[in-house]
Amino acid sequence: MHISRIRLKNFRGYYSLSLDFSSGMNVFIGKNASGKTNLLEAIHYLSFARSFRMVEDSELIQNKASKAVINAEVVSDEGKKTIDVLISEKGKKILVNDKGISKLSSLNKITNVIIFTPQDVNIFRDSPKNRRNYLDINISKLNPMYAEAISLVENLLKERNEILKQDEVDAKQIEIVTNELIKAEKEVIVMRKEFVASLNKVISKVASALKGGENKVKVIYFPYIKLTDDYLTKAKELYQENLDNDLKRKATSIGVHREDFILTLNGKDISVQGSQGENRLMAISLKLSPYFLVSDKSKHPIVALDDVMSELDDIHQKKLISFLRKLDQVFITSTKLTIDHASIYEIDNHHAIRRTK
């Protein structure tokens, strides 16, 4: 799949913009704060119906405007589809081929975008929440059942926490909700384990291509409890052991919402023993690896990379560019990067011009 055209109206700093894109490599060049990242933000919105900066939708609307509009054409083996996004203070409306969509998550099937931002360099050293978010997003793309499972867990977790906050906690009520939560969590653990196993089949090849040489990379997932034949019994016992602590804290202290993973490079925990450069390369590898888990080549994700080249030396920049050339469609932002045989767009003060060859 690839985005062949995008139009913006009152989106961020863009009053009006219309651009045609090519498959392959597309490079946005401009000074800092010129509008490059805002353009990636609009591309990402076509996949997730939200900003990767995790800001409110109202912040995407240009000052004094009543609404922001994103219009795009997406081409795949299934033909051309149009996506219309209307963002206003009242909410958002999304149309695909002039018809409303029932679930925002269905956008991923039409425009699947992998995003890398400068903040992702710290994914292995940041809060475990960011690593769980990585799992949740990528597994949901591959398996729609995961989104339903994690949503159920979140609802049951919220219900359990509300019970814990009561002055008088009903023991039977907390037991019933906990048992339902344990059952729902099992499905999440199963799918997380399956995803990590698939990821480990491809990530070493990706990392070796970007870093150079032969590298053994492994993602190690830590479920809050092992999946065994007596999972339900063991999980109930574990929740019971932590109940007093939960009552004191008025919050659930164990579960899939507390899980984590680490990444090892040639046997070393990258978060502890990896250099800043290694952390950057492994973060890029982690982000790009799910591209190769999509079996249908016509549905390979679109890759958007914000300021990915900064702090990479010339050798690793060349390795990354060589790797990205193999992908269906890539968007890169940079202040000065020029790539041969790529479509170059000059961005200045939220205006964009495609450079003629």
Side-chain angles (χ1 to χ4, degrees), residues 239-252:
Y239 267 94
Q240 187 60 40
E241 289 171 10
N242 285 270
L243 183 56
D244 286 343
N245 184 42
D246 289 354
L247 290 168
K248 289 177 184 178
R249 297 175 69 252
K250 298 187 181 299
T252 304

Side-chain angles (χ1 to χ4, degrees), residues 92-148:
K92 54 195 163 198
K93 183 178 181 181
I94 301 176
L95 304 175
V96 176
N97 289 344
D98 297 322
K99 294 182 180 179
I101 59 174
S102 57
K103 293 183 179 180
L104 293 178
S105 58
S106 63
L107 272 179
N108 273 320
K109 298 184 183 303
I110 302 165
T111 320
N112 183 357
V113 177
I114 289 174
I115 185 78
F116 175 87
T117 71
Q119 291 72 34
D120 290 325
V121 174
N122 299 314
I123 188 170
F124 306 117
R125 294 171 174 168
D126 276 349
S127 163
K129 181 179 179 181
N130 293 337
R131 292 184 287 278
R132 288 193 297 272
N133 187 50
Y134 168 86
L135 292 176
D136 292 344
I137 288 173
N138 284 286
I139 303 173
S140 294
K141 288 181 182 183
L142 295 168
N143 188 347
M145 292 177 63
Y146 183 84
E148 296 177 11

Side-chain angles (χ1 to χ4, degrees), residues 32 64 67-68 73 77 91 106 111 121 153 186 218 221 234 249 256 262 268-269 272 348:
N32 291 331
K64 299 181 180 180
K67 60 185 178 182
E73 293 180 357
D77 283 2
S106 63
T111 320
V121 174
V153 165
K186 182 179 181 181
K218 187 175 183 180
Y221 162 55
K234 294 294 185 183
R249 297 175 69 252
V256 296
I262 64 170
K268 301 185 302 181
D269 182 344
V272 178
D348 182 33

Side-chain angles (χ1 to χ4, degrees), residues 244-290:
D244 286 343
N245 184 42
D246 289 354
L247 290 168
K248 289 177 184 178
R249 297 175 69 252
K250 298 187 181 299
T252 304
S253 58
I254 62 169
V256 296
H257 67 296
R258 298 286 186 182
E259 292 182 344
D260 200 0
F261 70 82
I262 64 170
L263 181 143
T264 61
L265 171 61
N266 299 323
K268 301 185 302 181
D269 182 344
I270 196 74
S271 68
V272 178
Q273 297 173 280
S275 66
Q276 185 67 10
E278 287 174 330
N279 268 268
R280 174 174 288 272
L281 289 170
M282 292 308 104
I284 298 170
S285 301
L286 184 73
K287 280 304 193 82
L288 292 178
S289 290

Side-chain angles (χ1 to χ4, degrees), residues 5-27:
R5 175 175 295 177
I6 195 167
R7 295 187 180 94
L8 304 180
K9 183 72 175 177
N10 297 323
F11 182 89
R12 286 290 198 180
Y14 287 99
Y15 170 71
S16 181
L17 177 75
S18 179
L19 287 177
D20 293 331
F21 296 131
S22 305
S23 57
M25 197 90 69
N26 297 270
V27 184

Side-chain angles (χ1 to χ4, degrees), residues 37-276:
T37 301
N38 293 159
L39 195 44
L40 286 194
E41 203 171 10
I43 290 169
H44 177 269
Y45 205 97
L46 297 169
S47 180
F48 286 88
R50 69 172 186 261
S51 167
F52 60 78
R53 289 168 163 169
M54 305 304 287
V55 299
E56 296 295 326
D57 280 344
S58 58
E59 296 181 49
L60 304 177
I61 305 171
Q62 194 178 57
N63 291 339
K64 299 181 180 180
S66 60
K67 60 185 178 182
V69 177
I70 307 172
N71 168 268
E73 293 180 357
V74 181
V75 179
S76 70
D77 283 2
E78 297 174 355
K80 184 183 293 183
K81 293 183 179 180
T82 60
I83 302 175
D84 291 287
V85 178
L86 178 65
I87 306 168
S88 69
E89 294 289 347
K90 296 180 181 179
K92 54 195 163 198
K93 183 178 181 181
I94 301 176
L95 304 175
V96 176
N97 289 344
D98 297 322
K99 294 182 180 179
I101 59 174
S102 57
K103 293 183 179 180
L104 293 178
S105 58
S106 63
L107 272 179
N108 273 320
K109 298 184 183 303
I110 302 165
T111 320
N112 183 357
V113 177
I114 289 174
I115 185 78
F116 175 87
T117 71
Q119 291 72 34
D120 290 325
V121 174
N122 299 314
I123 188 170
F124 306 117
R125 294 171 174 168
D126 276 349
S127 163
K129 181 179 179 181
N130 293 337
R131 292 184 287 278
R132 288 193 297 272
N133 187 50
Y134 168 86
L135 292 176
D136 292 344
I137 288 173
N138 284 286
I139 303 173
S140 294
K141 288 181 182 183
L142 295 168
N143 188 347
M145 292 177 63
Y146 183 84
E148 296 177 11
I150 200 69
S151 178
L152 177 58
V153 165
E154 288 171 353
N155 290 334
L156 288 168
L157 182 63
K158 182 180 179 181
E159 185 178 351
R160 189 177 194 270
N161 287 340
E162 287 174 351
I163 296 171
L164 291 169
K165 291 173 184 176
Q166 295 173 0
D167 294 333
E168 300 253 346
V169 175
D170 186 316
K172 190 63 178 176
Q173 187 182 23
I174 197 80
E175 180 186 0
I176 292 171
V177 174
T178 300
N179 289 343
E180 290 300 310
L181 177 59
I182 288 169
K183 291 177 184 176
E185 286 182 318
K186 182 179 181 181
E187 300 305 313
V188 171
I189 296 171
V190 167
M191 286 184 270
R192 283 181 176 178
K193 283 177 67 70
E194 290 174 347
F195 171 76
V196 170
S198 297
L199 194 65
N200 281 328
K201 292 178 180 178
V202 300
I203 193 168
S204 289
K205 292 180 180 179
V206 175
S208 295
L210 300 186
K211 189 175 184 295
E214 289 295 323
N215 296 277
K216 186 175 182 181
V217 179
K218 187 175 183 180
V219 175
I220 302 174
Y221 162 55
F222 301 104
Y224 84 96
I225 189 171
K226 292 182 178 180
L227 280 183
T228 57
D229 292 339
D230 58 350
Y231 161 81
L232 292 177
T233 300
K234 294 294 185 183
K236 288 177 184 178
E237 291 175 354
L238 189 59
Y239 267 94
Q240 187 60 40
E241 289 171 10
N242 285 270
L243 183 56
D244 286 343
N245 184 42
D246 289 354
L247 290 168
K248 289 177 184 178
R249 297 175 69 252
K250 298 187 181 299
T252 304
S253 58
I254 62 169
V256 296
H257 67 296
R258 298 286 186 182
E259 292 182 344
D260 200 0
F261 70 82
I262 64 170
L263 181 143
T264 61
L265 171 61
N266 299 323
K268 301 185 302 181
D269 182 344
I270 196 74
S271 68
V272 178
Q273 297 173 280
S275 66
Q276 185 67 10

